Amino acid sequence: MKLTELRGVIPPIVTPFDENGVLDLQSLANVTHHLIDGGVDGIFCLGSTGECAALTDGERQKIVRTVAEVAAGRVPVLAGITETSTRRAVQLGKLVIEAGAQAVVVAPPFYHRNSQNELIHYFRDLASELPVPVIAYNVPVLTKTALEPATVEILAREGTILALKDSGGDGNILREFLLKTRDIPGFTVLTGLEFQVDTALQMGVHGCVPGVGNVAPREYVELYELARNGEYHKARELQERMIKLFDICYQGSDQISGSASALSGFKSALRWLGIIKTAKMAPPMGSLTAEEEDKVREVLVSLGFLRN
Amino acid sequence: MKLTELRGVIPPIVTPFDENGVLDLQSLANVTHHLIDGGVDGIFCLGSTGECAALTDGERQKIVRTVAEVAAGRVPVLAGITETSTRRAVQLGKLVIEAGAQAVVVAPPFYHRNSQNELIHYFRDLASELPVPVIAYNVPVLTKTALEPATVEILAREGTILALKDSGGDGNILREFLLKTRDIPGFTVLTGLEFQVDTALQMGVHGCVPGVGNVAPREYVELYELARNGEYHKARELQERMIKLFDICYQGSDQISGSASALSGFKSALRWLGIIKTAKMAPPMGSLTAEEEDKVREVLVSLGFLRN
Amino acid sequence: MKLTELRGVIPPIVTPFDENGVLDLQSLANVTHHLIDGGVDGIFCLGSTGECAALTDGERQKIVRTVAEVAAGRVPVLAGITETSTRRAVQLGKLVIEAGAQAVVVAPPFYHRNSQNELIHYFRDLASELPVPVIAYNVPVLTKTALEPATVEILAREGTILALKDSGGDGNILREFLLKTRDIPGFTVLTGLEFQVDTALQMGVHGCVPGVGNVAPREYVELYELARNGEYHKARELQERMIKLFDICYQGSDQISGSASALSGFKSALRWLGIIKTAKMAPPMGSLTAEEEDKVREVLVSLGFLRN
Amino acid sequence: MKLTELRGVIPPIVTPFDENGVLDLQSLANVTHHLIDGGVDGIFCLGSTGECAALTDGERQKIVRTVAEVAAGRVPVLAGITETSTRRAVQLGKLVIEAGAQAVVVAPPFYHRNSQNELIHYFRDLASELPVPVIAYNVPVLTKTALEPATVEILAREGTILALKDSGGDGNILREFLLKTRDIPGFTVLTGLEFQVDTALQMGVHGCVPGVGNVAPREYVELYELARNGEYHKARELQERMIKLFDICYQGSDQISGSASALSGFKSALRWLGIIKTAKMAPPMGSLTAEEEDKVREVLVSLGFLRN
């Protein structure tokens, strides 16, 4: 069944490894169940939270296949194409679609710099080569090149992209994305800023892609519902609780220095919840020490996600 | 024969494509001959100038094999490992070494951010897994994460890396790299800033990796020799001529906006010199139009690289 | 009467000049009336919108005196201290308080860089030397140095500052300011981001400092009331209308290149509304041309602020 | 006598204070003597090293008057105009010229942002209002707005500016300044990067403005002479010794965090040399502690500037 609109809570699923750094597909299946049980509206594999860029193509394909099999059509499964050229992106796109992805989430190429004009060609080429909807992913802090509002409008209006995931971090620009695309039927905007889901929904976004939603899918679903029903005061309370939960990502020493290994906090929390086996990251990203994982536990306990 | 020291002029060879965007190995062989005839001290495949990140692994292997076969031991052949995790980097490293690379030039992983500590582990893991010397490549404008002087000193002093290629662009930091490593036997520093080769050599670097050296290898070799002999006034004259030659990279409209497709200028010049067939880049990077290529020709003529 | 809490709509009043670039105090008085008639909760003189840094101390004093005289106690009058050292800031603080300011709004020194520790001393010294409440102003895009959440918390908790005006632009950090200071009695946070007043109010800020509030004070007061009453859907509609009104600042050619002379758009609109005489800025900031002012008029007409 | 060309070593003189933070003119006179005895080619008052922005106009005038009186025509005295609008800059310019400045060194306005076009008007207005030569000062790390090479060329070619002091830090751009202005009679370029004076001279700059030249004027004069005579190997040795001497600026804890109070190291060294009385800075910039000053002493001793 073809995906015609994207909205709601679509967590970027983590990629669990075992003690030896090997992909742990059983744990991945567990997280998938956890998310679907939590009521999410979709699952996004191979996002930044999923360590997309660190994985081999073989691992990528297994991840999508596992999630798609567990989801079994209950929610759409999206796969990230974070690649470095058109040829490479098409190649990866075919792999993940073959593995079961119902849509691809495409960031700008992230090594060599591109003009907006080149980005337009990039998205058009992918849309024409791949048989599933394309979602644009704006994350300049990682890709260096931003998708500008005018570019997104062109791609949205001509039907090249079905949605935008914005992790740009500038509220003024998010507002510009919304104002420029609001009248395009079926086109939606999702925010990747998990600390501002309540306000983004108030602004008019249609959904969110929260990393901490791996741990607390039910809470983000509730937050989404509260905002949709105009209960913004309650939405804020829940949002603030989610911000506190994010402290699980601030417990490592390297994490503080800006290393992406902060993501190990998500895995540690899932380990404490009995859903996955380790908090290991793909090297060279480091993982939390046992002592640091104990602090993650304290965060979970203090917020009632775990009993002491 | 194992590479024990790296110095001199080591151009980052371009990657020629044919009209259909297919790798043009004959043209690549021609450039290799052109460089060796120009007297270079080594050839660096799969650098940023070589569109490293845009290529598939299959293309990468063919490129290294072709250059290594043409070089036939006359000059060392280096291959870039610009990758996004330890696992991926080791995998690519084995491919390019099997294809004939005598050393690998390794940039920090470039999507997820890493701490300096994680980078130290990255380089150690690569050095222990790969049977050839590892050269560190500092290019924060592309990888976001910089290699700090203290990190480079640790890696150099323990023998993990044989050399540093610095394209950081900060002269104060380059000086710090030099001061911190000068006493380490065999360790060398090369600059990737092709507009400041004369001054970098005066500072004490041991070589350079100039993109425009694809077009004018002989001139960079002469520049290197002039500086080594203390003839800095003549070196400057030649350096300034090379800066003017770089105008070949400022002739495209997208190029001005910071797109990496500026590199198409190198290819266009090589086409005018009869060495390669097209100025095509790997999409989504654009290529110069016929009109823009005519302006490249004018630059070449005005500087005496081509007769009118 | 001492100011004990700051909230609501407090526009940063523009500084009108005549054709010769001389301070136009009559026009300034008119804008003051316009704002008070619009229902604002305070007036902020010598903000960035008021061209604070471009003015001489003599001009600064006249501006505060004029606004304070017209306000005549109906709303509090605040004055910016955007200075470059403690000595200079104290000197200016005394001038503006003598002229009638009931509170000072203090940004970090903006030429030489300061540590957070130095900023703490800066605010403490000002608070002890000046007999009026001090409001901290976070605007790193102009001062380079940011006020960090931990710094603001220290200053707020010890009573050194009464409020924070945040123009940092990062919603996550604004949220951190709010979470860290919410329990401090009387302490308030105002946003300087005029495109996100509705969402900032939903987050919990207590007021706003909108530049375009010079033109449309009544609308921002209504927006504030709507949000306070939980009518977020209507608040958003009005907020979006205000964003469109901001187009008055995008009509100059230099303005587009990031020059602060974009502020000339506010003055042009006030001129069309018959409130001030010219759109002149303090040199070297340029002013809109007659042609560009016509476009400002079109914006006003299209949004119903002026009849055609 | 009118200044017609600027070259050589022109240190940015520090501003000494006494224990109470009051301007110490006797110490300032001592530094002036120290510099002239060291053979410098000019003295630059009110530069960034001189804490220009932190001083009141009264202090600024006294500083220039003191230095000019001690110099007594033996070397030209320059004064910085680091201001925030045309009106303020003209006002300060008149003060410092009245006090004895023979040229003014003008940075772009540094709070509100300006376009290049506005900067051109700024320099033209200053040149026409002030009866002494104007030197442009490019220091984007402090002023945010850079002077672009095309702007400098226009101003230089029309005679608005006599020289450029470049502290931009980008060697490629410095080279562009030099190439664009080399044929303009009398126009010179000075570098403010004190770690790269040898290489900048090799590139073709005509002089330097080294902060650590306050401590070691003779050494910078010698470095300048060595480079002028083509003795680049010796120049490098001396340059590297000067880089080590700069360690006097890395001894404070706040200094490491990027605070401008690093400049306190210059003052501490001058205090140990018996030239000034304290290492005090203008608040809120902090000053070195006694313990930190002891470390400055160790640097001086280790490099032979002081006997143990």
Side-chain angles (χ1 to χ4, degrees):
Chain A
M1 204 193 72
K2 187 161 166 155
L3 189 66
T4 55
E5 207 186 68
L6 205 64
R7 54 175 66 236
V9 178
I10 304 171
I13 196 168
V14 297
T15 297
F17 296 106
D18 68 17
E19 277 302 330
N20 302 314
V22 178
L23 210 54
D24 176 357
L25 295 176
Q26 181 55 54
S27 289
L28 181 64
N30 293 349
V31 184
T32 307
H33 282 299
H34 175 60
L35 297 179
I36 294 175
D37 292 351
V40 302
D41 302 282
I43 297 180
F44 171 31
C45 305
L46 310 182
S48 304
T49 299
E51 299 165 68
C52 55
L55 305 165
T56 62
D57 281 353
E59 291 171 327
R60 289 164 175 172
Q61 203 170 17
K62 284 181 198 157
I63 290 166
V64 175
R65 179 159 296 138
T66 299
V67 174
E69 281 172 9
V70 174
R74 288 178 290 171
V75 299
V77 173
L78 289 57
I81 299 187
T82 314
E83 265 300 348
T84 40
S85 70
T86 308
R87 253 194 303 272
R88 290 178 63 96
V90 169
Q91 193 173 291
L92 176 59
K94 287 178 177 167
L95 278 184
V96 295
I97 292 165
E98 193 273 331
Q102 284 151 279
V104 288
V105 181
V106 179
F110 62 99
Y111 186 78
H112 306 295
R113 289 180 183 278
N114 290 109
S115 67
Q116 295 296 306
N117 187 39
E118 289 170 341
L119 294 182
I120 289 173
H121 284 290
Y122 186 64
F123 281 95
R124 285 182 185 159
D125 285 350
L126 288 185
S128 89
E129 294 275 350
L130 301 177
V132 300
V134 171
I135 294 138
Y137 179 16
N138 183 41
V139 62
V141 74
L142 289 177
T143 60
K144 299 176 307 224
T145 308
L147 280 166
E148 295 178 1
T151 302
V152 168
E153 185 180 1
I154 290 170
L155 295 171
R157 213 163 278 289
E158 71 190 19
T160 298
I161 57 176
L162 174 70
L164 170 72
K165 176 190 168 193
D166 179 41
S167 297
D170 184 315
N172 287 355
I173 293 177
L174 173 55
R175 212 137 207 173
E176 214 178 329
F177 284 132
L178 288 165
L179 289 170
K180 277 189 189 308
T181 61
R182 190 175 288 157
D183 68 316
I184 303 174
F187 188 81
T188 56
V189 177
L190 293 87
T191 180
L193 289 193
E194 52 197 313
F195 284 21
Q196 299 178 52
V197 170
D198 57 343
T199 51
L201 286 166
Q202 192 224 310
M203 259 189 204
V205 306
H206 310 81
C208 60
V209 187
V212 85
N214 276 282
V215 180
R218 202 172 300 278
E219 282 75 7
Y220 269 98
V221 170
E222 190 186 342
L223 171 48
Y224 175 71
E225 291 302 333
L226 286 169
R228 265 170 47 116
N229 296 332
E231 298 189 68
Y232 286 109
H233 192 75
K234 283 190 188 164
R236 183 172 92 191
E237 271 180 22
L238 190 46
Q239 174 68 76
E240 291 181 356
R241 191 164 168 247
M242 291 299 97
I243 292 173
K244 281 178 193 144
L245 178 57
F246 201 86
D247 279 352
I248 56 177
C249 292
Y250 298 146
Q251 304 310 321
S253 52
D254 254 7
Q255 283 73 352
I256 289 156
S257 69
S259 160
S261 57
L263 303 171
S264 182
F266 294 144
K267 295 192 188 177
S268 176
L270 287 168
R271 190 182 71 76
W272 287 114
L273 295 176
I275 296 165
I276 71 177
K277 293 206 202 85
T278 81
K280 285 274 173 232
M281 302 288 290
M285 279 187 276
S287 309
L288 291 172
T289 63
E291 204 168 57
E292 292 162 349
E293 286 208 63
D294 282 342
K295 291 187 197 154
V296 170
R297 189 176 192 284
E298 284 169 32
V299 175
L300 292 173
V301 168
S302 76
L303 291 168
F305 283 87
L306 205 67
R307 238 174 275 163
N308 210 348
Chain B
M1 208 192 67
K2 188 162 168 158
L3 190 65
T4 54
E5 208 188 67
L6 205 65
R7 54 174 66 236
V9 177
I10 304 172
I13 196 167
V14 297
T15 297
F17 297 106
D18 68 16
E19 276 302 330
N20 301 316
V22 177
L23 209 54
D24 176 356
L25 296 176
Q26 180 55 53
S27 287
L28 181 64
N30 293 349
V31 184
T32 309
H33 282 300
H34 174 60
L35 296 180
I36 293 175
D37 292 351
V40 303
D41 302 283
I43 297 179
F44 172 32
C45 304
L46 310 181
S48 305
T49 300
E51 298 165 67
C52 54
L55 305 164
T56 62
D57 282 352
E59 291 171 327
R60 289 165 176 172
Q61 203 170 18
K62 283 181 198 157
I63 288 166
V64 175
R65 179 158 295 139
T66 299
V67 174
E69 281 173 8
V70 174
R74 287 178 292 171
V75 299
V77 173
L78 290 59
I81 298 186
T82 314
E83 266 299 350
T84 40
S85 70
T86 308
R87 255 195 303 273
R88 291 178 63 96
V90 168
Q91 192 171 293
L92 176 59
K94 287 179 177 166
L95 278 184
V96 295
I97 291 166
E98 193 272 330
Q102 283 152 276
V104 289
V105 181
V106 179
F110 62 99
Y111 185 78
H112 306 296
R113 288 180 185 278
N114 290 109
S115 67
Q116 295 296 306
N117 188 38
E118 289 170 340
L119 294 183
I120 288 174
H121 285 291
Y122 186 63
F123 281 95
R124 284 182 186 159
D125 286 350
L126 289 185
S128 90
E129 294 275 349
L130 301 177
V132 300
V134 171
I135 294 140
Y137 179 16
N138 184 42
V139 61
V141 74
L142 290 177
T143 60
K144 297 175 309 224
T145 307
L147 281 166
E148 295 178 3
T151 303
V152 168
E153 185 181 0
I154 289 170
L155 295 171
R157 215 165 275 290
E158 70 190 21
T160 299
I161 58 175
L162 175 70
L164 170 72
K165 178 192 167 189
D166 179 41
S167 297
D170 184 315
N172 288 355
I173 292 178
L174 173 55
R175 212 135 207 174
E176 213 177 328
F177 284 132
L178 288 166
L179 289 171
K180 276 190 191 306
T181 61
R182 191 176 288 157
D183 69 315
I184 303 173
F187 189 80
T188 56
V189 177
L190 293 87
T191 180
L193 289 194
E194 52 198 313
F195 284 21
Q196 300 178 52
V197 171
D198 56 343
T199 51
L201 286 166
Q202 193 226 308
M203 260 188 203
V205 307
H206 309 82
C208 60
V209 186
V212 83
N214 276 284
V215 181
R218 202 174 300 278
E219 281 75 7
Y220 269 98
V221 170
E222 191 186 341
L223 171 47
Y224 175 69
E225 292 301 332
L226 286 170
R228 264 170 48 114
N229 297 330
E231 298 190 67
Y232 287 108
H233 192 76
K234 282 189 188 164
R236 182 171 94 192
E237 271 182 19
L238 190 46
Q239 174 67 77
E240 292 181 354
R241 193 163 166 245
M242 291 300 96
I243 292 173
K244 281 178 193 143
L245 177 56
F246 201 88
D247 279 353
I248 56 178
C249 292
Y250 298 145
Q251 302 311 320
S253 52
D254 254 6
Q255 284 73 354
I256 288 157
S257 70
S259 159
S261 57
L263 303 170
S264 182
F266 294 144
K267 295 191 186 177
S268 176
L270 287 167
R271 192 182 70 75
W272 286 114
L273 294 175
I275 296 166
I276 71 176
K277 294 205 201 88
T278 80
K280 284 275 174 230
M281 301 288 291
M285 279 187 276
S287 310
L288 292 171
T289 63
E291 206 168 56
E292 291 163 349
E293 286 208 61
D294 283 343
K295 290 188 196 155
V296 170
R297 189 175 192 284
E298 283 169 33
V299 175
L300 293 173
V301 168
S302 76
L303 290 167
F305 284 86
L306 205 66
R307 239 173 274 163
N308 210 347
Chain C
M1 206 191 69
K2 186 159 168 161
L3 189 66
T4 53
E5 207 186 68
L6 204 65
R7 55 174 66 236
V9 177
I10 304 172
I13 195 168
V14 297
T15 298
F17 297 106
D18 70 15
E19 276 302 331
N20 301 313
V22 177
L23 209 55
D24 176 357
L25 296 175
Q26 183 53 55
S27 288
L28 181 64
N30 293 351
V31 184
T32 309
H33 282 299
H34 174 61
L35 296 180
I36 293 175
D37 293 351
V40 302
D41 302 282
I43 297 180
F44 172 31
C45 306
L46 309 181
S48 304
T49 300
E51 298 166 68
C52 54
L55 305 165
T56 63
D57 282 353
E59 291 171 327
R60 289 165 175 172
Q61 202 170 19
K62 283 181 197 156
I63 288 166
V64 175
R65 179 159 294 137
T66 298
V67 174
E69 281 172 10
V70 174
R74 287 178 291 171
V75 299
V77 173
L78 288 60
I81 299 186
T82 314
E83 266 299 350
T84 40
S85 70
T86 308
R87 254 194 306 272
R88 290 179 63 97
V90 169
Q91 192 172 291
L92 176 59
K94 287 178 177 167
L95 277 183
V96 296
I97 291 165
E98 194 273 331
Q102 283 152 276
V104 289
V105 181
V106 179
F110 61 99
Y111 185 77
H112 306 296
R113 289 181 184 277
N114 290 109
S115 67
Q116 295 296 306
N117 187 38
E118 289 170 340
L119 294 182
I120 288 173
H121 285 290
Y122 186 65
F123 280 95
R124 285 182 186 160
D125 285 351
L126 289 185
S128 90
E129 294 274 349
L130 301 178
V132 299
V134 171
I135 294 138
Y137 180 15
N138 183 41
V139 62
V141 73
L142 290 177
T143 61
K144 297 174 309 223
T145 308
L147 281 165
E148 295 178 1
T151 303
V152 168
E153 185 180 2
I154 289 169
L155 295 170
R157 213 163 277 288
E158 71 190 19
T160 298
I161 58 175
L162 174 69
L164 170 72
K165 177 191 168 193
D166 179 41
S167 298
D170 185 315
N172 288 356
I173 292 178
L174 173 55
R175 211 135 208 176
E176 213 177 329
F177 284 133
L178 288 165
L179 289 171
K180 277 189 189 307
T181 61
R182 190 175 286 157
D183 68 315
I184 303 173
F187 188 81
T188 55
V189 177
L190 294 86
T191 179
L193 288 195
E194 53 197 312
F195 283 22
Q196 299 179 52
V197 170
D198 56 344
T199 51
L201 287 165
Q202 192 226 309
M203 261 190 204
V205 307
H206 309 82
C208 61
V209 187
V212 84
N214 276 282
V215 181
R218 202 173 299 278
E219 281 75 8
Y220 269 98
V221 170
E222 191 187 340
L223 171 49
Y224 175 71
E225 292 302 333
L226 286 169
R228 264 171 48 115
N229 297 332
E231 299 189 66
Y232 286 109
H233 192 76
K234 282 189 188 166
R236 183 172 93 191
E237 269 181 23
L238 191 45
Q239 174 67 77
E240 292 182 355
R241 191 164 167 245
M242 291 299 97
I243 292 173
K244 281 179 193 143
L245 178 57
F246 201 87
D247 279 351
I248 57 178
C249 292
Y250 298 145
Q251 303 309 321
S253 52
D254 254 7
Q255 284 73 352
I256 289 156
S257 70
S259 160
S261 57
L263 303 170
S264 183
F266 294 145
K267 296 192 186 177
S268 177
L270 287 167
R271 192 182 70 75
W272 287 113
L273 295 176
I275 296 166
I276 71 175
K277 292 206 202 87
T278 80
K280 284 275 173 230
M281 302 288 291
M285 279 186 276
S287 310
L288 292 171
T289 63
E291 204 167 57
E292 291 163 348
E293 287 208 60
D294 283 343
K295 290 186 197 156
V296 170
R297 190 176 191 284
E298 284 170 33
V299 175
L300 293 172
V301 169
S302 76
L303 291 168
F305 284 86
L306 206 67
R307 236 172 278 160
N308 210 348
Chain D
M1 208 193 68
K2 187 161 168 157
L3 189 65
T4 54
E5 209 187 65
L6 205 65
R7 54 174 67 235
V9 178
I10 304 172
I13 195 168
V14 297
T15 297
F17 297 107
D18 69 15
E19 276 303 331
N20 301 314
V22 178
L23 208 55
D24 177 355
L25 296 176
Q26 181 54 54
S27 287
L28 182 64
N30 292 351
V31 184
T32 309
H33 281 301
H34 174 61
L35 296 180
I36 294 176
D37 292 352
V40 302
D41 302 282
I43 297 180
F44 172 32
C45 305
L46 309 181
S48 304
T49 299
E51 297 165 68
C52 54
L55 305 165
T56 64
D57 281 353
E59 291 172 326
R60 288 164 175 173
Q61 203 170 19
K62 282 181 199 157
I63 289 166
V64 175
R65 181 158 295 138
T66 299
V67 173
E69 280 173 10
V70 173
R74 288 178 291 171
V75 299
V77 172
L78 289 59
I81 299 186
T82 314
E83 267 298 351
T84 40
S85 70
T86 308
R87 257 198 298 276
R88 290 179 62 98
V90 168
Q91 193 171 292
L92 176 59
K94 286 179 177 167
L95 278 183
V96 296
I97 291 166
E98 193 274 329
Q102 284 151 276
V104 289
V105 180
V106 179
F110 62 98
Y111 185 78
H112 306 296
R113 289 179 184 278
N114 291 110
S115 67
Q116 296 295 306
N117 187 38
E118 289 170 340
L119 294 183
I120 288 173
H121 285 291
Y122 185 64
F123 280 94
R124 284 182 187 159
D125 286 351
L126 289 186
S128 90
E129 294 275 349
L130 301 177
V132 300
V134 171
I135 294 138
Y137 180 16
N138 184 43
V139 61
V141 73
L142 289 176
T143 61
K144 297 174 309 221
T145 307
L147 281 165
E148 294 177 3
T151 303
V152 168
E153 184 180 2
I154 289 169
L155 295 170
R157 214 164 276 289
E158 71 190 19
T160 298
I161 58 175
L162 175 69
L164 169 73
K165 178 192 167 190
D166 178 41
S167 297
D170 185 315
N172 287 356
I173 292 178
L174 173 55
R175 209 131 210 180
E176 212 177 329
F177 284 133
L178 288 166
L179 289 170
K180 275 190 189 310
T181 62
R182 190 175 288 157
D183 68 315
I184 303 173
F187 188 81
T188 56
V189 177
L190 293 86
T191 180
L193 288 194
E194 50 197 315
F195 284 21
Q196 299 179 51
V197 171
D198 56 343
T199 50
L201 286 166
Q202 192 224 309
M203 259 188 204
V205 306
H206 309 81
C208 60
V209 186
V212 83
N214 277 282
V215 180
R218 203 174 298 278
E219 281 75 7
Y220 268 99
V221 170
E222 191 187 340
L223 170 49
Y224 175 69
E225 292 302 332
L226 286 169
R228 264 171 48 116
N229 297 330
E231 299 189 66
Y232 286 109
H233 192 76
K234 284 189 188 164
R236 184 172 91 190
E237 271 181 21
L238 191 46
Q239 174 67 77
E240 292 181 354
R241 191 163 167 245
M242 292 298 95
I243 291 173
K244 282 177 193 146
L245 179 56
F246 201 87
D247 279 352
I248 57 179
C249 292
Y250 297 145
Q251 303 309 320
S253 52
D254 254 6
Q255 284 73 352
I256 288 157
S257 70
S259 159
S261 57
L263 303 171
S264 183
F266 295 144
K267 295 191 186 178
S268 176
L270 287 167
R271 191 182 71 75
W272 286 114
L273 295 176
I275 295 165
I276 72 176
K277 293 208 201 87
T278 80
K280 285 273 173 232
M281 301 288 291
M285 278 187 276
S287 310
L288 292 172
T289 64
E291 205 168 58
E292 291 163 347
E293 287 208 61
D294 282 343
K295 289 187 198 156
V296 169
R297 190 176 190 283
E298 282 169 35
V299 175
L300 293 173
V301 168
S302 76
L303 291 168
F305 282 88
L306 205 66
R307 239 173 275 162
N308 210 347

